[in-house]
Amino acid sequence: MLNKKTLRDVVVAGKNVFVRVDFNVPIEHGTVTDVTRIDGALPTIEYLVEAGAKTVLASHLGRPKQAGDPEYSLAPVAKVLSEKLDMEVLFFPKEDIIDDEVMAAFEDMKPGQVMLLENTRYDEGEEKNDPELARKFARFADVFVDDAFGTAHRAHASNVGITEFVDQSVAGFLVEKELDFLDGALEQPKRPFVAILGGAKVSDKIKVINSLLDKVDKIIISGGMAYTFLKAIGYEIGTSLLEADQLDYARNMIDQAKEKGVELILPIDFAVSKEFANTEAVMTNDENIPEDMMGMDIGPKSIELFNQALADARTVVWNGPVGVFEMPNYAVGTRAVADTLAKLDATTIIGGGDSAAAITQFGLAENMSHISTGGGASLKLLEGAKLPGIEALTDKE
Ligand code: AMP
């Protein structure tokens, strides 16, 4: 399926290996609060350590305002990584991420040792895909491994630029796994194939809906984006989220679904509130919402409807919560969908971002087939787009 070389296709023993990882993790008061992405990169790093490579890791973190911005230092990540690998990970908290001291330490590294560079975005060449910076990264690389799925939809110096200066650019195990699940579901899904789309905005997911209508058997549209669809077919949606400029698009999607024989399912009742706050939920009887209220979550009839639609599913892709799950009173629908997916005998794929956060919050991560580490990148794949970070890798012979 993946027509690019992977870590298994190259010799790494005794080699200098530069790995782009995605350590863009949440940090509060100097402590990493969600280690999912670090865990995701461990199979690749442990493989390189055992193989006796000299491994240099690089990642961006957030959006630093200037080089050396301490709020965006990868120091807390280096600490977690050292603990997880049970070895010292070399790390230099530098403004200039590849200065002489870093290069000297790299020269001294022994096979099996690991170094983590400071935040790649401390260098403004990173996001500009600057060839000078890319060439500097390449000094660490007999082999380049891209294991940063969360960054694969961007063309930056540390994931795309570098490939111009290295002979072998290969996918790491995390990238390989992400593509196996996401491309696998899109190209050869076990059927019925059901997509659940939620989240705040229709406009964010226009291309996704377009593309999925050619692939899925059923599409459930929920969350904040559902109200534009409901309005388009004539329901009263009160003060719920509405993208008035997307009404025609919504009508068009509903027609296209009919033409293509895809079942397009919208919620049929709601938990509503007068204000956007964790108020006590009031249920509607049907699709109509009182004029001074807004839809915050799906109601019990919709939960039942979605459960029925999912009962025979063999592949499910879910992107976007079905309600305002950050507020406990309006997390009920999202929780119900997560519970249903957890029990299904199906390949269940969670497309990163907020739905991944919800699943983790509910403690159901272990029950899903795959939770993507890349919200933006997985959406791009669902749109049917190519990811520059993957395209740049060396083709399989
Ligand atoms: P997205 O980033 O597009 O996946 O949107 C996720 C956000 O959509 C979450 O923060 C949810 O709180 C929000 N959301 C889900 N349902 C609703 C709703 N009914 N009204 C407003 N926001 C919603």
Side-chain angles (χ1 to χ4, degrees):
M1 202 181 314
L2 179 62
N3 58 351
K4 298 294 179 180
K5 284 195 178 178
T6 75
L7 195 41
R8 266 180 283 270
D9 298 321
V10 283
V11 177
V12 290
K15 296 277 168 92
N16 300 336
V17 180
F18 179 77
V19 190
R20 178 53 158 102
V21 283
D22 181 4
F23 287 163
N24 184 29
V25 293
I27 295 180
E28 279 168 34
H29 309 296
T31 303
V32 179
T33 54
D34 182 350
V35 296
T36 311
R37 284 180 162 171
I38 302 178
D39 286 343
L42 286 180
T44 288
I45 302 170
E46 284 167 349
Y47 176 88
L48 291 169
V49 169
E50 271 164 40
K54 272 169 67 168
T55 305
V56 176
L57 308 171
S59 174
H60 78 282
L61 173 67
R63 304 201 163 276
K65 284 162 209 76
Q66 75 275 327
D69 189 343
E71 202 184 323
Y72 297 99
S73 169
L74 280 167
V77 175
K79 188 163 165 272
V80 173
L81 196 58
S82 295
E83 284 161 15
K84 290 203 178 260
L85 294 172
D86 199 16
M87 62 188 280
E88 188 201 357
V89 171
L90 299 173
F91 178 77
F92 302 91
K94 298 279 186 173
E95 253 176 58
D96 178 1
I97 66 171
I98 314 179
D99 71 359
D100 291 346
E101 194 188 338
V102 171
M103 284 317 291
F106 168 66
E107 297 302 333
D108 286 347
M109 277 171 72
K110 308 274 176 301
Q113 276 197 298
V114 178
M115 179 193 281
L116 172 65
L117 295 184
E118 190 43 290
N119 192 343
T120 53
R121 286 193 185 164
Y122 279 1
D123 193 309
E124 56 183 27
E126 167 70 333
E127 289 182 86
K128 293 184 186 142
N129 196 5
D130 170 33
E132 275 318 301
L133 179 60
R135 201 190 295 270
K136 280 194 198 169
F137 287 136
R139 286 156 72 190
F140 300 112
D142 298 323
V143 174
F144 167 57
V145 178
D146 188 355
D147 215 19
F149 181 73
T151 318
H153 57 310
R154 305 214 168 94
H156 290 170
S158 66
N159 70 329
V160 171
I162 181 172
T163 61
E164 296 288 324
F165 304 102
V166 182
D167 287 340
Q168 299 284 347
S169 297
V170 304
F173 297 137
L174 175 62
V175 161
E176 191 184 11
K177 180 167 150 237
E178 293 268 12
L179 293 172
D180 272 354
F181 272 102
L182 288 158
D183 270 348
L186 294 171
E187 283 167 22
Q188 291 173 320
K190 285 180 279 167
R191 293 187 182 277
F193 177 14
V194 184
I196 310 170
L197 293 180
K201 285 166 90 185
V202 181
S203 44
D204 285 349
K205 305 226 164 95
I206 288 181
K207 290 189 191 148
V208 178
I209 301 174
N210 264 338
S211 163
L212 285 178
L213 281 180
D214 288 325
K215 300 194 158 76
V216 300
D217 301 293
K218 302 176 196 177
I219 186 163
I220 296 175
I221 294 187
S222 196
M225 61 195 288
Y227 307 104
T228 301
F229 281 80
L230 288 162
K231 174 92 179 168
I233 44 180
Y235 291 110
E236 297 300 331
I237 61 162
T239 57
S240 306
L241 269 189
L242 169 67
E243 283 171 90
D245 56 344
Q246 302 297 339
L247 286 168
D248 285 342
Y249 168 79
R251 269 180 222 112
N252 183 264
M253 285 302 104
I254 291 167
D255 292 344
Q256 276 200 35
K258 277 196 198 110
E259 268 167 41
K260 292 181 174 167
V262 173
E263 209 180 323
L264 189 150
I265 300 160
L266 292 164
I268 50 174
D269 65 344
F270 300 95
V272 295
S273 171
K274 281 214 161 82
E275 49 178 335
F276 191 74
N278 190 34
T279 49
E280 199 164 325
V282 176
M283 298 298 163
T284 62
N285 289 321
D286 56 24
E287 288 90 340
N288 291 299
I289 297 175
E291 64 178 358
D292 58 344
M293 301 268 226
M294 63 182 81
M296 300 288 282
D297 192 12
I298 56 173
K301 292 179 197 164
S302 305
I303 293 177
E304 187 48 40
L305 178 73
F306 291 3
N307 281 347
Q308 279 167 15
L310 288 163
D312 63 348
R314 300 296 312 283
T315 306
V316 182
V317 171
W318 181 16
N319 195 301
V322 303
V324 188
F325 78 100
E326 299 92 334
M327 300 180 190
N329 292 347
Y330 300 108
V332 177
T334 303
R335 166 99 218 192
V337 171
D339 279 335
T340 301
L341 293 200
K343 290 190 207 111
L344 281 187
D345 182 17
T347 304
T348 46
I349 301 170
I350 314 303
D354 281 305
S355 5
I359 297 275
T360 309
Q361 183 182 309
F362 303 145
L364 291 171
E366 294 299 314
N367 302 71
M368 304 297 155
S369 310
H370 182 64
I371 300 185
S372 177
T373 55
S378 67
L379 268 184
K380 281 280 165 208
L381 278 185
L382 295 180
E383 284 175 9
K386 300 270 183 219
L387 303 178
I390 309 301
E391 291 296 291
L393 301 178
T394 311
D395 288 330
K396 269 212 159 98
E397 274 138 26

